[in-house]
């Protein structure tokens, strides 16, 4: 009723607030935000206003805006994937992925802000001044960003990431030097990538943690038997005790802390 009354008093020049007419104005700022380019205060404030007005005026705009936003996000992710896959060396691949993910993860905190009204409309709320009572991780736009990254670049190269990270851990077990922050960075990306507010560690646990335990088990199944055969039981017990302590320290560095962290010495059979 309110829209109908307003439409009678607005002149044709004032009326065009349709999505198709306003998105070309919003899109450059959205693109800058996704790419972490510099956005002026005026552009930032104007985006809030445009989203708010269009969502309230054009009842079909929320779905259209959500799809346009999804495409903008996917365009950036496809570009990021090309940049990452240019690297064949495992350390260069990890460095590139962590760099791209860190940029994207930072923007997951900023991009949803101007789209509060969009989220309110998609959730069926009618208030023109929605209050963000939900935690940040439950933002529909943030979930869209995380799910898009998960289903595209992460799904296509997660095996490469895991294998590269586990190979670096293997090097450490063999007393070779490498940048441990690469493994930590991969782990953190697995944790932050999950959009499941009820189980934030789901992706990390199903992939990174499982791979870590499997690779650790495989390593010691190969090492323990030969060490026992060559050095006898007494020396083997000393070896096993030293390795148990070493792996506990390594697990504290590379596995996610918390009450659900696996007991690496329990989960890995050294004999």
């Amino acid at each position: 009723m309110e829209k109908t009354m307003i439409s009678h008093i607005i002149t044709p020049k004032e009326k065009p607030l349709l999505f198709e007419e306003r998105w070309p104005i919003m899109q450059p700022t959205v693109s800058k935000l996704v790419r972490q380019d510099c956005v002026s205060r005026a552009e930032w404030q104007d985006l809030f206003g445009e989203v708010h007005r269009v969502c309230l005026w054009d009842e079909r705009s929320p779905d259209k805006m959500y799809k346009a936003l999804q495409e903008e996000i996917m365009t950036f992710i496809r570009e990021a994937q090309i940049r990452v896959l240019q690297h064949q060396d495992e350390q260069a691949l990890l460095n590139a992925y962590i760099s791209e993910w860190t940029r994207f993860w930072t923007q997951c905190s900023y991009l949803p802000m101007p789209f509060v009204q969009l989220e309110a409309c998609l959730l069926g709320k009618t208030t023109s001044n929605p209050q963000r009572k939900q935690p940040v991780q439950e933002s529909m736009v943030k979930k869209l960003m995380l799910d898009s990254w998960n289903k595209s670049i992460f799904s296509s190269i997660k095996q490469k990431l895991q294998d590269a990270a586990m190979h670096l851990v293997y090097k450490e077990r063999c007393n070779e030097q490498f940048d441990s922050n690469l493994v930590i960075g991969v782990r953190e990306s697995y944790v932050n990538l999950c959009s499941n507010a009820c189980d934030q560690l789901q992706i990390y646990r199903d992939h990174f943690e499982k791979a870590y335990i499997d690779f650790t088990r495989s390593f010691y199944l190969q090492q323990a038997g030969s060490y026992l055969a060559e050095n006898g039981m007494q020396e083997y017990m000393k070896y096993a005790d030293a390795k148990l302590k070493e792996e506990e320290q390594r697990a504290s560095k590379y596995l996610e802390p918390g009450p659900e962290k696996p007991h690496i010495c329990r989960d890995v059979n050294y004999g």
Side-chain angles (χ1 to χ4, degrees):
M1 181 64 178
E2 184 181 352
K3 282 186 180 180
T4 304
M5 293 176 63
I6 293 175
S7 65
H8 287 316
I9 63 175
I10 293 182
T11 65
K13 287 186 178 181
E14 294 172 322
K15 185 176 178 179
L17 286 174
L18 298 176
F19 169 78
E20 290 80 5
E21 296 166 336
R22 307 310 294 178
W23 180 250
I25 297 173
M26 294 184 273
Q27 188 274 338
T29 304
V30 173
S31 180
K32 288 181 180 180
L33 286 172
V34 173
R35 286 163 174 73
Q36 214 174 31
D37 294 335
C38 182
V39 174
S40 70
R41 177 175 295 183
E43 289 174 319
W44 177 249
Q45 294 174 343
D46 287 348
L47 182 58
F48 277 82
E50 290 287 352
V51 172
H52 186 86
R53 287 190 295 271
V54 172
C55 284
L56 289 182
W57 181 260
D58 181 5
E59 63 184 13
R60 292 174 294 182
S61 69
D63 288 335
K64 296 176 183 179
M65 190 179 297
Y66 186 85
K67 291 178 182 178
L69 186 58
Q70 182 178 37
E71 182 54 38
E72 199 67 39
I73 292 168
M74 283 304 304
T75 297
F76 171 79
I77 291 175
R78 285 190 287 266
E79 294 169 356
Q81 184 169 350
I82 292 173
R83 290 191 292 268
V84 170
L85 292 179
Q86 288 176 344
H87 303 278
Q88 298 301 319
D89 175 76
E90 62 183 15
Q91 293 198 43
L93 177 73
L94 292 179
N95 264 316
Y97 178 82
I98 292 169
S99 175
E100 294 290 347
W101 163 252
T102 300
R103 289 176 59 202
F104 187 77
W105 171 245
T106 299
Q107 293 315 96
C108 285
S109 297
Y110 292 101
L111 185 61
M113 291 181 181
F115 293 95
V116 173
Q117 186 64 56
L118 169 65
E119 295 186 359
C121 290
L122 291 173
L123 290 171
K125 298 177 182 179
T126 57
T127 176
S128 62
N129 185 26
Q131 299 297 317
R132 299 203 69 181
K133 296 180 180 179
Q134 294 177 318
V136 173
Q137 65 266 25
E138 293 183 5
S139 160
M140 294 178 68
V141 174
K142 183 174 183 179
K143 186 177 189 305
L144 171 63
M145 296 178 73
L146 295 177
D147 288 346
S148 297
W149 186 277
N150 186 8
K151 293 175 182 177
S152 53
I153 181 171
F154 178 74
S155 293
S156 66
I157 68 170
K158 64 183 177 184
Q159 195 61 51
K160 286 185 177 181
L161 293 176
Q162 287 173 196
D163 291 347
M166 295 309 116
H167 186 228
L168 293 182
V169 177
Y170 173 86
K171 286 184 175 182
E172 183 177 88
R173 291 186 174 117
C174 296
N175 298 316
E176 296 182 36
Q177 297 296 317
F178 76 98
D179 184 2
S180 61
N181 287 323
L182 293 176
V183 180
I184 295 171
V186 172
R187 182 202 72 204
E188 290 176 346
S189 75
Y190 276 57
V191 173
N192 294 330
L193 181 58
C194 189
S195 64
N196 182 355
C198 298
D199 187 1
Q200 188 66 43
L201 298 180
Q202 179 185 357
I203 293 177
Y204 155 81
R205 190 172 54 248
D206 291 348
H207 299 286
F208 186 91
E209 183 181 275
K210 182 179 183 301
Y212 186 95
I213 293 174
D214 289 345
F215 272 80
T216 302
R217 181 181 292 111
S218 176
F219 178 84
Y220 284 105
L221 283 174
Q222 296 175 21
Q223 297 290 320
S226 59
Y227 191 95
L228 176 62
E230 294 173 7
N231 298 279
M233 179 57 72
Q234 186 174 358
E235 289 301 315
Y236 172 77
M237 294 303 294
K238 295 179 182 178
Y239 164 84
D241 183 62
K243 291 301 177 182
L244 288 170
K245 294 177 181 177
E246 180 183 307
E247 288 303 328
E248 281 291 342
Q249 293 177 350
R250 187 170 288 117
S252 296
K253 180 167 59 174
Y254 294 134
L255 297 183
E256 189 67 12
E260 295 184 359
K261 185 176 77 173
H263 194 292
I264 195 73
C265 297
R266 179 199 66 202
D267 291 335
V268 176
N269 184 349
Y270 291 83

